[in-house]
C-alpha cells in the first residue's frame, strides 16, 4: 500500500499501521503525529470516535487548503490563527499536510488551558514543526499580544463555545483577516436574552411563540445568533458561505461559516442585522456585539 513516501523511508510505525487505516489517510501524512494526537493507536488502529474526528478535520482542511494556496501565491508566507485550539488537531494536521511542504508560513494556536498549550509546544519540538507557536491566552488577550503579527491571513475557531465565536470574529476584524473559518457551538447568550424578555415579547408579537418553550429557545437562539454573525461579516466586507461541517449523524454542532474578505461592505446586510435585533428585542443586550452604533457601511 502506498503511503506517499518512498518505500525506503517508510517507518516501522507506518509499516505497523493497518492497511485499511492507511487508505483513509492522506499521502505522506505523519503516522507519528496521528499517534501523538491519539487519533491512531500505537498499533496503528483507528476507532470510530477517532474516525469521526479525522473526518471533521479533513473536511475543514478541504475548505482551508484553497484559501492557503491563494494566500501563498507569489512566494507569500501565509499565517493562520486557531482560536480555542484545544489539543490542536486542526493546527497540527494543517501544518503536516500543507505548511510543512510549503516551507514557509506560520500557525498560531491560541488556548486558555495552560496544560494543553505546553503539551502542544512539546509536540512541535518532537516533530520538528518549527513554524508553529502556541499561546496561553484568551481571544481578548491575543488581540494585543506581541507574539502575534499585526495581520493574520486565516482565522479559525472549531467548536468555539457560546460567545467565543464572536470573539474570534472580533479578532479577525482587528487583524484584517483575509478569511475566517468558524464552527460555532453552544450559543447560550442569545437564549438567555430571549428567556429574560419572553413575557414581554409574547404580548408584543406572535413571533415570540418561536421561543416560548425552552427547547425552542435554545435552538432558535443558536440559529438567530449565526444569522446575525453572517450579516455582521457581510456588513464588514466579507463574502459568506454557510454549509455543513460533516453529516448530521456525526454532530449536531455542524454549521460551518466561511467568510472571505472582498472589501465590499454591504449596507443592506447591516440594515437587516439591525432590523433582526429590533424584531427580537435584542438591540441593547446584543447590539454592541454586532457593531450596533458603528458607522454605517457603504453599499
Amino acid at each position: 500500500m502506498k503511503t506517499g513516501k518512498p518505500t525506503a523511508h517508510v517507518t516501522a510505525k507506518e509499516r505497523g499501521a493497518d492497511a485499511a487505516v492507511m487508505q483513509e489517510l492522506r499521502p505522506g501524512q505523519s503516522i507519528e503525529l496521528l499517534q501523538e494526537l491519539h487519533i491512531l493507536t500505537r498499533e496503528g488502529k483507528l476507532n470510530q470516535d477517532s474516525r469521526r474526528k479525522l473526518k471533521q478535520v479533513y473536511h475543514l482542511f478541504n475548505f482551508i487548503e484553497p484559501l492557503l494556496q491563494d494566500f501563498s501565491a507569489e512566494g507569500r508566507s501565509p499565517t493562520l490563527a486557531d482560536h480555542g485550539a484545544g489539543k490542536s488537531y486542526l493546527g497540527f494536521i494543517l501544518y503536516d499536510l500543507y505548511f510543512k511542504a510549503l516551507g514557509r508560513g506560520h500557525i498560531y494556536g491560541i488556548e486558555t488551558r495552560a496544560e494543553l498549550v505546553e503539551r502542544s509546544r512539546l509536540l512541535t519540538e518532537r516533530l520538528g514543526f518549527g513554524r508553529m507557536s502556541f499561546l496561553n491566552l484568551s481571544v481578548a488577550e491575543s488581540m494585543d499580544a506581541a507574539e502575534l503579527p499585526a495581520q493574520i491571513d486565516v482565522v479559525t475557531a472549531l467548536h468555539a463555545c457560546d460567545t467565543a465565536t464572536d470573539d474570534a470574529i472580533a479578532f479577525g476584524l482587528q487583524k484584517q483577516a483575509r478569511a475566517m473559518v468558524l464552527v460555532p457551538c453552544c450559543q447560550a447568550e442569545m437564549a438567555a436574552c430571549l428567556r429574560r424578555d419572553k413575557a414581554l415579547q409574547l404580548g408584543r408579537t406572535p413571533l415570540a411563540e418561536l421561543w416560548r418553550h425552552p427547547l425552542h429557545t435554545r435552538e432558535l437562539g443558536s440559529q438567530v445568533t449565526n444569522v446575525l454573525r453572517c450579516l455582521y461579516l457581510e456588513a464588514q466586507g466579507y463574502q459568506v458561505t454557510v454549509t455543513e461541517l460533516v453529516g448530521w449523524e456525526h454532530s449536531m454542532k455542524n454549521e460551518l461559516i466561511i467568510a472571505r474578505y472582498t472589501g465590499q461592505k454591504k449596507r443592506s446586510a447591516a440594515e437587516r442585522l439591525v432590523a433582526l435585533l429590533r424584531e427580537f428585542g435584542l438591540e441593547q443586550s446584543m447590539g454592541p456585539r454586532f457593531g450596533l452604533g458603528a458607522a454605517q457601511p457603504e453599499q
Side-chain angles (χ1 to χ4, degrees):
M1 180 61 62
K2 293 183 179 180
T3 63
K5 296 181 180 180
T7 302
H9 296 105
V10 175
T11 67
K13 288 183 178 179
E14 288 172 323
R15 287 195 295 270
D18 185 272
V21 170
M22 295 301 293
Q23 289 183 324
E24 299 193 40
L25 306 184
R26 301 298 176 93
Q29 190 160 16
S30 170
I31 299 300
E32 182 181 2
L33 170 63
L34 295 179
Q35 290 174 327
E36 291 285 354
L37 294 176
H38 303 294
I39 290 176
L40 286 181
T41 67
R42 291 300 170 190
E43 295 74 33
K45 304 296 183 180
L46 186 66
N47 63 36
Q48 193 59 36
D49 183 62
S50 295
R51 184 175 277 106
R52 284 195 297 268
K53 190 182 299 292
L54 193 60
K55 181 177 180 180
Q56 287 187 28
V57 175
Y58 279 166
H59 197 60
L60 271 176
F61 178 81
N62 289 337
F63 285 108
I64 296 171
E65 183 185 30
L67 299 172
L68 293 172
Q69 288 173 338
D70 286 349
F71 303 154
S72 304
E74 300 175 358
R76 290 178 295 183
S77 299
T79 52
L80 183 145
D82 183 26
H83 283 288
K87 296 179 181 178
S88 297
Y89 294 103
L90 177 61
F92 277 115
I93 289 177
L94 279 169
Y95 192 97
D96 188 40
L97 293 180
Y98 187 80
F99 283 79
K100 185 169 65 176
L102 184 67
R104 60 183 187 275
H106 204 101
I107 292 178
Y108 300 89
I110 300 166
E111 172 58 49
T112 57
R113 289 168 287 182
E115 69 277 10
L116 295 183
V117 171
E118 182 61 21
R119 175 179 171 181
S120 294
R121 287 172 178 168
L122 292 172
L123 184 53
T124 61
E125 293 176 7
R126 285 202 298 274
L127 296 175
F129 288 6
R131 288 172 287 107
M132 291 189 81
S133 301
F134 293 92
L135 309 177
N136 182 205
L137 299 169
S138 67
V139 181
E141 291 168 339
S142 70
M143 289 188 181
D144 300 313
E147 300 94 327
L148 287 160
Q151 196 270 334
I152 293 285
D153 289 313
V154 182
V155 173
T156 61
L158 177 59
H159 292 149
C161 286
D162 199 15
T163 60
T165 296
D166 302 304
D167 295 337
I169 290 172
F171 173 93
L173 293 176
Q174 179 175 308
K175 295 293 185 181
Q176 302 173 350
R178 301 168 72 183
M180 301 188 213
V181 181
L182 312 165
V183 181
C185 183
C186 307
Q187 295 97 317
E189 185 184 35
M190 174 72 75
C193 292
L194 291 173
R195 280 194 298 269
R196 186 189 60 208
D197 298 326
K198 185 190 308 184
L200 176 64
Q201 295 300 324
L202 280 168
R204 188 181 73 86
T205 171
L207 284 176
E209 290 294 335
L210 294 175
W211 66 93
R212 180 161 65 91
H213 298 287
L215 177 62
H216 295 161
T217 304
R218 186 184 66 195
E219 296 302 319
L220 181 70
S222 176
Q223 180 80 353
V224 173
T225 301
N226 287 339
V227 170
L228 291 171
R229 286 166 174 160
C230 292
L231 288 171
Y232 184 43
L233 286 165
E234 289 176 345
Q236 297 300 314
Y238 288 81
Q239 181 184 49
V240 176
T241 301
V242 181
T243 186
E244 293 180 2
L245 174 59
V246 288
W248 290 104
E249 71 275 12
H250 295 295
S251 173
M252 293 303 292
K253 306 300 182 183
N254 197 37
E255 186 166 335
L256 172 61
I257 299 172
I258 304 168
R260 183 160 185 170
Y261 189 70
T262 65
Q264 297 179 342
K265 298 183 178 183
K266 294 184 179 180
R267 178 182 295 273
S268 58
E271 291 172 347
R272 288 195 294 271
L273 188 154
V274 172
L276 273 177
L277 287 169
R278 184 177 298 122
E279 184 63 36
F280 286 94
L282 298 168
E283 289 174 285
Q284 291 187 345
S285 58
M286 300 289 290
R289 184 171 295 279
F290 296 104
L292 197 61
Q296 289 292 312
E298 298 176 0
Q299 180 66 46

